[in-house]
Structure formats: C-alpha cells, structure tokens
Amino acid sequence: MRDFLPEDKARRERVLAVIRDRYRAHGFDEIETPVMEEYSRLHAGIGGDNEKLAYNVLKRGLDADAIAAAAGDPSQLTDLGLRYDLTVPLARFYATHRGQLPSVFRSIQIAPVWRAERPQKGRYRQFVQCDIDIIGDASSRAEAELIVATLDTLDALGLAGGSVRINDRRVLDWMLDSFGFDAAERPGVLITIDKLDKIGPAGVAAELRERGAAAQSVDAFESFLTRPMTMEYHPFGERQIRKLLPDAAPTDIVDHLVGIGEAVAASRPGIDGQPTEVPLVFDPFLVRGMGYYTGTIFELAHPSVDYSLGGGGRYDGMIGRFLGQDVPAAGFSIGFERIVDLVAAAQDDAPQAVVLVHDRDIPAGELLAHKAALVGGGARVRLETRTKNLKALLERAAADGYTAFATVSTGIPAGEVDLKPLA
C-alpha cells in the first residue's frame, strides 16, 4: 500500500479522467459498490487464487473461547472481507438492483481493491481497477464493444498500437479433451500451459510429465505445440483459428470468435479503401486463471512492454449464483497501476498555474483578492511567502507543475499582477 505525492496523484487523476471519459463515450455508466462484501460471496469458489489473498474482517465481539472453538476455520471467525476484485461485487449489485437497470446494462467501476500479496515489485496490496462490463447480452457484440472501448481508451492515453489476445475457455477444455487429458488433471495442465510464453513447448511438455500427466496425452500435445504453424503469429480470422486448432474445432465457438473479429474490424474503417488490420490475435493457449470465466477470455497487450495491461472475459454463470437464474455477462479490466506508469507526464489542464510570491505583511484580504481574480480566469494559484532563497522556491514550484509566478506588493489592484514564466 502506497502514499502518493502531489505530482503522482495529479498524474493518476489525469489518467483516470481520460479513462472515464472514453468509457462514458462508449455508453457505459459508472456505479459504486461497498469496499466490503459478505465472506460467503468472496469465498464462493469463483475467484481462483484471489480468494486465498482476500483480507477478511473478524466478527465483532469475539472472545477467546469463540476463537478457540473455530479451530482455525476462517468462516467461523469472519463474516465480511475487503473485495479482491470488482466483478464479484458487480454480480451482487446486479442481482440486487436488476429491476432498476436496463435489460442490457453497461457498467463502469473504477475503485481500489485489496489482496494480501507478498511484497514485490509491481505487486501491490491496494491497487485501482478500471472495469467495464456488459450484462444481459450473450452475443459476440458484447465482447466486441468491450474490446473497441478498451483500445480506444488506450489510444486516448497516448498508447496507440495496442492489441488483444483472445481465446475461449471452451476451446481449452475441448483441446485438452481432444488430446486425452482426464478432467481431474486439467487444472494442473492449465497452470503449466499458462507458462508457455516463459518456458516454451519443451518446458511445458517436461513440466506436464513431472506432474504425472498421461504420457500419451503429453506426447500428442507436444507434437501439436511443435508444429511450425502453431507458434507463428496469424492475423485474426476463421481460417487462421481453424488452422491453429486441432481438427474438428466446435463450430459454434469458432463462429462466436469470428463474430467478435468482424465487429471489431467494422469499427476500424480503413484509409482510402484499404482495410485496417484487426488488432486481435487468436491465442489458443491463453488461460487466465479466474474460475468464473465460462467462454471468451482476452488480454490487452502493447508493444512497449512484455506483460499484459489488462484482461477479461465472459462469465455467464456468476450472476446466477446470486440471482437464481443465469444472466450473460462479460467484462474487461484495464491494469491501471501498470498503465499509469507508461503514460507520459503532462502539464495540468489549467491554462495557467501561477505562484503568487508575497511578503509576510501583505494583508490576507489583498492576497485572496488577487488569487480569486486569477482563479476566476481559469488559473490554478498557489500562495507562497517570500523566502531568502527565491530561486529554490520557484524551482520547487516548477517541479510541481506551475508555469508562471508573480510577486505581490500591497496596493496593487486585484488581478493586475505582472506574471512571468517559470523557466
């Protein structure tokens, strides 16, 4: 968990303002949910490893006997917990307020979440997530809308050139079945496949054998991984998807993926009649570990970094746990903490940022009159008492984003100070 100095906080707010603006431009509406949810919801077996990282809140009024009687069972000691993501709270929110929401609900959630991570670079125990979700639309249009809005937001942040790796959890299940992996061993197999980018096909095959996976299945999978076309980059489309998958891939799943690609392509008209390459890459080995994904999954990539900048997918079964009937849902989350570090620092949006340097004996009324006149004109204004080292004072102001200064003497009419640029 971190503190943020004014300059860092200002940059974060600028980035958040752009994200909110682009999300709203695409028809999403912002909601807010409590930072705590019921323990039973956060530990319903749908949050994957994140459930193990949840901060749980002890029940009020517990005594030593009650704690001893729990015998280390957290569910007996806690009834609430800090949210570890924004998707579980959204599912509960929709189940609670469904009657007041449109049949297809497009939501924005931008808020902190908490996970008991081990301290290490890039892993924070409190961090901001920026989510957009579409609830009530089972068609490929939902995923396409999420992808288009996310890529537009990345462009608006000055990070053009982003792309989305896309897969489907049903493709993974079908592929593992086609190679003969038993259902009981698939969770471990998926964990290993998720390391493909780091350890390569040979490393994946070796680790699967170490895990005790069926030898015949591992041999078939290794042969598939080492095909020339398997690990090559391919533009997104039906022919490429079928080329990358083993024979007889499920037609309905492929059609859903193709529909996403066609919709995204239609949103990006070419120049002078030339088609624009769709910023999608089919990756049959994309896993994403959240237990609630039921269909399409995707991750946001950018050529400037070798890690993902966000991800999401379809989670049609989650809301039904709270509502009693399944409702189609899909979401995309931008990794705000990663993106904010990539966005170049910019000056404040105000036309001017002014420091008014004054002696100690200037009446407060005169100072505030000068300040009010400049603020009324759209400037950002800071009052600073003159020091012996004026140069150091002005250098600090410039570092804080101020662009001009003026020295204030008594008797000057409000707003008529002589502004000078800060070098």
Side-chain angles (χ1 to χ4, degrees):
M1 300 181 184
R2 299 168 291 165
D3 295 321
F4 296 103
L5 293 170
E7 183 178 359
D8 297 324
K9 178 63 174 174
R11 176 193 286 193
R12 292 170 69 85
E13 290 301 322
R14 283 193 295 268
V15 173
L16 287 172
V18 173
I19 294 172
R20 278 192 169 92
D21 175 74
R22 300 323 301 155
Y23 282 173
R24 287 186 60 80
H26 284 269
F28 293 82
D29 295 308
E30 190 164 4
I31 65 169
E32 183 174 327
T33 58
V35 303
M36 290 193 292
E37 293 285 341
E38 290 185 5
Y39 178 92
S40 59
R41 293 194 185 105
L42 295 174
H43 296 270
I46 55 179
D49 287 341
N50 290 331
E51 293 190 4
K52 302 174 184 177
L53 301 177
Y55 283 103
N56 301 316
V57 180
L58 286 175
K59 295 178 180 177
R60 276 67 60 203
L62 289 174
D63 56 25
D65 291 339
I67 293 174
D73 181 0
S75 66
Q76 301 300 312
L77 299 173
T78 68
D79 54 1
L80 297 170
L82 292 173
R83 62 192 178 204
Y84 52 73
D85 74 359
L86 298 177
T87 307
V88 174
L90 174 63
R92 192 268 312 153
F93 173 93
Y94 182 83
T96 303
H97 302 286
R98 184 183 187 187
Q100 301 164 264
L101 299 172
S103 58
V104 176
F105 178 51
R106 295 169 175 82
S107 77
I108 303 169
Q109 283 190 97
I110 298 177
V113 300
W114 292 265
R115 297 177 189 171
E117 295 276 8
R118 292 181 180 179
Q120 56 185 297
K121 181 177 175 60
R123 291 283 188 178
Y124 306 116
R125 291 180 172 180
Q126 176 179 317
F127 56 96
V128 173
Q129 286 192 334
C130 301
D131 287 15
I132 46 175
D133 294 81
I134 298 179
I135 300 175
D137 187 349
S139 74
S140 58
R141 185 185 69 180
E143 287 97 329
E145 277 197 71
L146 294 168
I147 290 170
V148 169
T150 299
L151 291 173
D152 179 42
T153 300
L154 209 63
D155 290 347
L157 290 168
L159 299 174
S163 62
V164 175
R165 296 166 60 204
I166 188 168
N167 194 16
D168 195 296
R169 290 299 291 263
R170 296 169 298 176
V171 166
L172 284 167
D173 289 338
W174 169 82
M175 186 165 60
L176 295 184
D177 183 64
S178 70
F179 290 123
F181 289 104
D182 292 335
E185 63 185 349
R186 288 180 191 174
V189 172
L190 289 174
I191 290 173
T192 300
I193 292 176
D194 202 25
K195 302 177 184 178
L196 180 61
D197 289 344
K198 297 179 181 178
I199 63 178
V204 166
E207 184 170 313
L208 288 175
R209 292 189 174 94
E210 290 175 5
R211 285 182 174 273
Q216 185 176 355
S217 299
V218 175
D219 290 342
F221 188 46
E222 184 177 22
S223 176
F224 173 71
L225 286 176
T226 53
R227 297 185 315 166
M229 74 283 288
T230 298
M231 301 302 291
E232 293 176 357
Y233 167 79
H234 297 272
F236 194 86
E238 179 177 5
R239 184 174 65 85
Q240 290 75 23
I241 292 173
R242 293 195 177 279
K243 185 177 181 181
L244 283 174
L245 291 175
D247 294 337
T251 299
D252 59 333
I253 301 174
V254 174
D255 288 347
H256 190 87
L257 291 170
V258 171
I260 295 170
E262 290 174 348
V264 173
S267 75
R268 304 171 72 88
I271 301 174
D272 296 330
Q274 298 299 315
T276 300
E277 183 176 358
V278 181
L280 299 179
V281 178
F282 176 62
D283 182 352
F285 309 111
L286 179 64
V287 174
R288 292 197 62 78
M290 299 303 287
Y292 49 65
Y293 290 128
T294 59
T296 319
I297 50 177
F298 26 76
E299 286 191 351
L300 179 63
H302 193 269
S304 65
V305 292
D306 60 1
Y307 47 82
S308 71
L309 295 179
R314 181 167 283 281
Y315 52 97
D316 289 347
M318 182 188 289
I319 295 174
R321 296 201 177 200
F322 305 122
L323 193 62
Q325 68 180 90
D326 284 346
V327 177
F332 208 143
S333 178
I334 281 181
F336 175 74
E337 306 296 346
R338 290 182 170 182
I339 283 178
V340 74
D341 291 336
L342 298 179
V343 176
Q347 293 293 332
D348 195 271
D349 291 335
Q352 288 183 310
V354 178
V355 173
L356 294 180
V357 181
H358 61 90
D359 293 329
R360 293 183 183 276
D361 59 354
I362 301 292
E366 290 187 26
L367 291 175
L368 293 180
H370 285 295
K371 183 177 182 179
L374 291 169
V375 169
R380 176 187 178 203
V381 184
R382 175 192 288 177
L383 297 174
E384 289 281 7
T385 303
R386 185 193 297 272
T387 61
K388 290 183 179 180
N389 191 345
L390 181 60
K391 180 180 179 182
L393 184 154
L394 296 179
E395 287 177 348
R396 185 186 69 202
D400 289 343
Y402 287 84
T403 57
F405 77 100
T407 55
V408 181
S409 302
T410 189
I412 299 176
E416 295 186 12
V417 292
D418 184 18
L419 295 180
K420 299 176 182 179
L422 277 171

